[in-house]
Amino acid sequence: MNNIKIRQASISDKATAVDLDYRLDKDEHIKLKREEKISKAILDGECFLISADDKEVGFVIFDYRFFDQGWIELIIIDEKYRGKGIGTKVFDLICEGCKSDKVFTSTNRSNTQMQRALEKADFSFAGELKGLDEGDPELFYYKRINASEND
Ligand SMILES: CC(C)(COP(=O)(O)OP(=O)(O)OC[C@H]1O[C@@H](n2cnc3c(N)ncnc32)[C@H](O)[C@@H]1OP(=O)(O)O)[C@@H](O)C(=O)NCCC(=O)NCCS
């Protein structure tokens, strides 16, 4: 798909983001109070709508809470638009707009799609953390950006 863009979400985009999250995992959506989290991210200016060919296809939550480095908290692309290179391009766009030296994110070991998209966007594996989801460790990735000549 072409013409992939991100724009800061406004409260009128909340239903779109909440619906995408609900469809991804209804139980987690309710259990983890994701509607509240999405609302807060929108109000804090940390939620971005993803469009491809002028169609809204997903959203991403991005902030600087992880040791003051860029942190991709959550990204969801509508199921019918996955596997078309949109996720990879969104990671590039996030890195281009990032004000810190590095962008970090994490995903479960079982999420090979996310790992593949990150690798295509030149993210490196940073390490693994056990204990969050039983039997499915969290894999951390990062990409160095805004590097000085000495880095
Ligand atoms: C993870 C995610 C954001 C990646 O975005 P995407 O647009 O699908 O990513 P890309 O198309 O750039 O790359 C995905 C890669 O996974 C591969 N892939 C593996 N299984 C796939 C599947 N079931 N569907 C689609 N792609 C799949 C793709 O083929 C592609 O690799 P390739 O280019 O070598 O073929 C998206 O798939 C998604 O929203 N998933 C559900 C939510 C999620 O898991 N979010 C991440 C946790 S925060």
Side-chain angles (χ1 to χ4, degrees):
M1 294 202 70
N2 296 316
N3 203 13
I4 295 153
K5 292 183 193 158
I6 55 175
R7 67 162 171 85
Q8 198 169 318
S10 67
I11 206 68
S12 61
D13 299 309
K14 179 181 155 181
T16 306
V18 166
D19 180 55
L20 281 161
D21 190 71
Y22 183 85
R23 281 192 278 131
L24 180 70
D25 191 330
K26 181 176 168 236
D27 293 339
E28 289 238 307
H29 180 82
I30 295 163
K31 194 172 83 187
L32 301 177
K33 298 194 167 94
R34 296 274 276 256
E35 180 166 352
E36 273 175 43
K37 285 183 184 162
I38 290 167
S39 299
K40 186 172 183 319
I42 291 174
L43 294 173
D44 290 346
E46 294 168 352
C47 183
F48 300 85
L49 256 283
I50 302 165
S51 65
D53 294 336
D54 293 326
K55 205 173 161 23
E56 279 165 3
V57 296
F59 73 98
V60 56
I61 295 180
F62 174 77
D63 58 47
Y64 292 92
R65 286 195 184 89
F66 189 78
F67 298 95
D68 294 326
Q69 298 293 341
W71 172 251
I72 299 166
E73 168 76 18
L74 175 66
I75 174 167
I76 301 179
I77 310 278
D78 192 341
E79 199 172 359
K80 56 181 178 291
Y81 295 101
R82 289 180 202 155
K84 298 179 191 302
I86 297 172
T88 303
K89 177 67 185 170
V90 170
F91 297 141
D92 288 343
L93 293 171
I94 292 274
C95 290
E96 275 169 30
C98 180
K99 298 184 201 86
S100 63
D101 293 341
K102 296 169 204 158
V103 174
F104 283 80
T105 190
S106 73
T107 188
N108 286 107
R109 188 195 273 168
S110 59
N111 195 341
T112 51
Q113 218 173 317
M114 177 70 168
Q115 290 157 44
R116 178 76 193 121
L118 288 166
E119 281 157 11
K120 284 194 295 173
D122 292 328
F123 275 70
S124 305
F125 178 63
E128 179 179 300
L129 190 72
K130 288 183 189 152
L132 284 168
D133 290 324
E134 218 47 57
D136 195 4
E138 198 71 18
L139 307 187
F140 284 75
Y141 283 81
Y142 77 105
K143 183 168 177 178
R144 192 182 291 272
I145 49 175
N146 302 327
S148 75
E149 280 176 20
N150 297 326
D151 279 348

